[in-house]
Amino acid sequence: MRASALLRGRAMNAALRACALALAALVVGGCGPSEADWRSASSWSLTAVAVARAWERGEVPTRYARRALQKAADELAKGPLPEAGAPVDELRQALERGDREAVRQLVSELAAR
Amino acid sequence: MKRFLGIALGIVTSIGGFLDAGSIATSSQAGAAFGYSLLWALALGTVCVIFLVEMSGRFAIASKHTITDAIRKRFGFPALVVPFALTMLVNLLVLASELGGVCVALELATGIGFQLWAIPVAIALWLLLWVATFDVVEEGTALLGLVTLCFVVAAWKLGAEPAELARALVTPSLPPDERAHYLFLAVSIVGATIAPYLFLFYSSGAIEDRWDKSYLTPNRLIAAGGMLFGALISMAVLVVAALTLKPEGIHVESYEQAALMLLPAFGRWGFWLFIVSLAVACFGAALELSLASAYAMAQTFGWNWGENLRPRKAARFSMAYTVFIALAALIVLTGLNPMKLTLFSMAITAVILPLTAMPFLILMNDRTYMGSHVNSRFSNIVVALIVLVAAVLAIVSIPLEIIGSR
């Protein structure tokens, strides 16, 4: 009885170790950005470019462009490359100042990335 | 002449009232992500909704009952409890999506956050239901909804190829990647197109308008013509997103992105046309949904009901839509992303569809209610097949979408 209990105990330990390893693999594997995250980040960068260009052409009002760029910057900051939010935030500030030259310059830089 | 005008008005109001937050969100996301390749889902949903809406009108005419009322009488209240509770829950989420759509349109126009618009819009919605008659609610907002035809004009201006569209309509094809998201969008599109509140509302409307057997043919024409032309607008939203957002690499995750889609076709007018379309379509849908939910509640519990009755003559019916609107406003106030809420509520609609559609199908084959106007075998097969396939796809794709978006 002592032997079978010992064996059960060892089997249980092994099972527990296997579960812990599987869990760790899941956690580690799930921590990295998914393909959907990268696609979303790319989409928000391109949205920022499109919004700024539309603003330059006078097709969208400044208050919409400001909010859309803020949203894009926030989404990028939450994504796999948080530093990508900074240039979009700079773009938003240039737009708020009405600095078309700065907007044009920043849009070209963003579009080139 | 009067009957002809009635049919024409019925078709026009169906067209104008077709688009809502669900159609705009699902179609714009589908077009931006996958081009034309989800048009088949829209076509499938449209075929099913034409059948369901026509059946709904025919049922009201032949039986002089609404669907909910008849389900309660035929199957008993206990059988109705679970489908009723789930339908009410989904209706609430969808109502919150529609309300959220109006609020977002106002945010895009004014720069004032969408949550701050929740209470004023909810009050406007409630006030209109409180003072207006059924005709004003149904026809007024639907006529305003004709502004959504701008998407059809945009699709034409952008040079959408009819042959390519026709091919995509009838040829489902899985993309090489993002398959879980593709399937999720497919069921969301079907859920947005075959929303149960639509055909339940239609049967209540037929009773409110006192349709008799002389309306059998007009009902068929309104169901087919209205739903078909209405679906063309949803398809146009998908096509426009495919032609303007997809080439730019923009995936639609929020209405701020969707607002860009009409700019290439209309320039600066495109921005305002999108806002007005979103606001009017969602407001109209919110009115219908509030009424549909109140109808369902009143008919389930056997209360007095009717939008044409003064509120004090149908106090519990009026209280029902009041409470619904208040709860939906609370959901919007939480700040949940309105577009994400819309997409998930459309997918969940597809899951619960069989719970409403199947009892309805049984009634449509019951001569006690239908007399000689029972369903054909073809109608039964088409509806049962589409509803079941949609539900199975939804059960599979919703968890995959949740896992994929973590």
Side-chain angles (χ1 to χ4, degrees):
Chain A
M1 189 142 157
R2 271 188 76 189
S4 60
L6 202 59
L7 278 169
R8 274 203 303 277
R10 279 183 182 163
M12 185 61 83
N13 284 343
L16 280 172
R17 272 200 299 275
C19 281
L21 273 168
L23 199 59
L26 264 172
V27 168
V28 168
C31 273
S34 64
E35 227 178 288
D37 292 332
W38 288 111
R39 260 195 296 272
S40 175
S42 166
S43 166
W44 279 110
S45 282
L46 293 166
T47 300
V49 168
V51 167
R53 282 182 173 153
W55 176 81
E56 265 192 276
R57 291 192 299 264
E59 286 176 347
V60 296
T62 305
R63 58 177 172 265
Y64 158 77
R66 183 175 55 231
R67 285 191 88 90
L69 289 175
Q70 181 67 63
K71 176 105 184 163
D74 292 343
E75 291 296 323
L76 284 165
K78 285 191 284 190
L81 212 61
E83 55 269 30
V88 173
D89 201 49
E90 233 180 288
L91 182 57
R92 177 188 61 78
Q93 288 168 31
L95 190 139
E96 276 185 7
R97 290 193 307 267
D99 188 346
R100 288 183 178 272
E101 193 49 52
V103 166
R104 214 166 284 135
Q105 175 72 23
L106 287 161
V107 163
S108 305
E109 284 170 19
L110 264 171
R113 288 183 196 197
Chain B
M1 186 65 183
K2 194 179 167 192
R3 184 55 53 87
F4 173 77
L5 283 173
I7 295 170
L9 185 63
I11 293 176
V12 164
T13 54
S14 294
I15 295 168
F18 195 92
L19 212 62
D20 64 355
S23 316
I24 295 173
T26 55
S27 295
S28 61
Q29 209 178 80
F34 300 106
Y36 295 162
S37 64
L38 276 165
L39 274 175
W40 64 268
L42 260 168
L44 199 68
T46 303
V47 165
C48 194
V49 84
I50 288 173
F51 274 91
L52 283 169
V53 168
E54 187 280 329
M55 281 162 44
S56 170
R58 182 162 32 105
F59 183 80
I61 290 167
S63 70
K64 300 280 177 243
H65 283 80
T66 64
I67 298 169
T68 312
D69 192 34
I71 291 176
R72 178 174 58 88
K73 286 178 180 165
R74 171 73 163 74
F75 300 103
F77 183 77
L80 192 53
V81 168
V82 170
F84 168 74
L86 287 172
T87 305
M88 287 296 105
L89 184 61
V90 171
N91 278 2
L92 181 61
L93 292 176
V94 178
L95 180 58
S97 313
E98 304 298 343
L99 209 59
V102 182
C103 295
V104 166
L106 290 167
E107 176 184 315
L108 293 173
T110 62
I112 298 169
F114 75 89
Q115 287 156 275
L116 294 172
W117 288 105
I119 292 173
V121 171
I123 291 173
L125 196 62
W126 174 83
L127 211 54
L128 194 57
L129 287 174
W130 192 261
V131 300
T133 60
F134 182 80
D135 284 346
V136 167
V137 167
E138 197 199 17
E139 290 161 15
T141 52
L143 286 171
L144 285 173
L146 290 174
V147 70
T148 57
L149 285 169
C150 64
F151 287 99
V152 180
V153 174
W156 169 74
K157 283 187 91 176
L158 292 165
E161 281 289 333
E164 219 181 318
L165 297 179
R167 228 181 353 261
L169 269 170
V170 297
T171 326
S173 56
L174 273 180
D177 53 10
E178 289 190 273
R179 285 180 171 187
H181 188 52
Y182 178 88
L183 285 175
F184 175 76
L185 275 178
V187 297
S188 296
I189 285 171
V190 171
T193 315
I194 320 176
Y197 83 84
L198 201 70
F199 56 89
L200 294 176
F201 179 80
Y202 192 84
S203 79
S204 297
I207 298 293
E208 289 252 35
D209 283 342
R210 301 181 206 283
W211 279 10
D212 56 27
K213 294 212 164 115
S214 65
Y215 277 87
L216 280 169
T217 304
N219 169 55
R220 229 169 261 139
L221 292 170
I222 292 169
M227 295 300 115
L228 196 60
F229 285 111
L232 280 177
I233 302 179
S234 284
M235 290 179 193
V237 173
L238 188 152
V239 167
V240 170
L243 291 171
T244 60
L245 300 178
K246 189 172 191 305
E248 299 295 316
I250 297 174
H251 283 219
V252 174
E253 291 174 59
S254 83
Y255 286 110
E256 282 88 350
Q257 293 166 306
L260 298 168
M261 76 167 83
L262 289 175
L263 298 183
F266 299 114
R268 59 199 293 264
W269 288 106
F271 177 74
W272 297 105
L273 278 169
F274 178 83
I275 286 175
V276 173
S277 296
L278 181 65
V280 170
C282 293
F283 194 80
L287 282 169
E288 268 193 27
L289 199 37
S290 307
L291 267 184
S293 304
Y295 284 142
M297 195 162 261
Q299 290 158 21
T300 298
F301 293 108
W303 301 338
N304 238 15
W305 60 270
E307 176 59 5
N308 291 332
L309 291 176
R310 287 190 178 277
R312 63 170 177 269
K313 295 271 187 202
R316 285 176 291 189
F317 169 77
S318 310
M319 181 57 69
Y321 65 68
T322 303
V323 169
F324 247 85
I325 291 169
L327 289 173
L330 281 174
I331 294 175
V332 176
L333 279 168
T334 62
L336 274 172
N337 181 324
M339 185 167 274
K340 281 197 172 118
L341 176 63
T342 303
L343 288 167
F344 273 101
S345 59
M346 293 303 122
I348 292 165
T349 300
V351 174
I352 68 149
L353 205 48
L355 294 176
T356 331
M358 291 313 178
F360 179 38
L361 264 186
I362 294 171
L363 285 172
M364 287 304 298
N365 291 279
D366 188 338
R367 288 186 185 276
T368 316
Y369 287 92
M370 298 302 294
S372 59
H373 301 289
V374 289
N375 254 12
S376 66
R377 190 175 296 182
F378 179 68
S379 302
N380 290 334
I381 292 171
V382 166
V383 172
L385 211 58
I386 294 175
V387 162
L388 286 170
V389 167
V392 167
L393 280 178
I395 289 165
V396 168
S397 67
I398 291 174
L400 289 175
E401 175 71 8
I402 293 169
I403 292 166
S405 65
R406 272 190 312 126

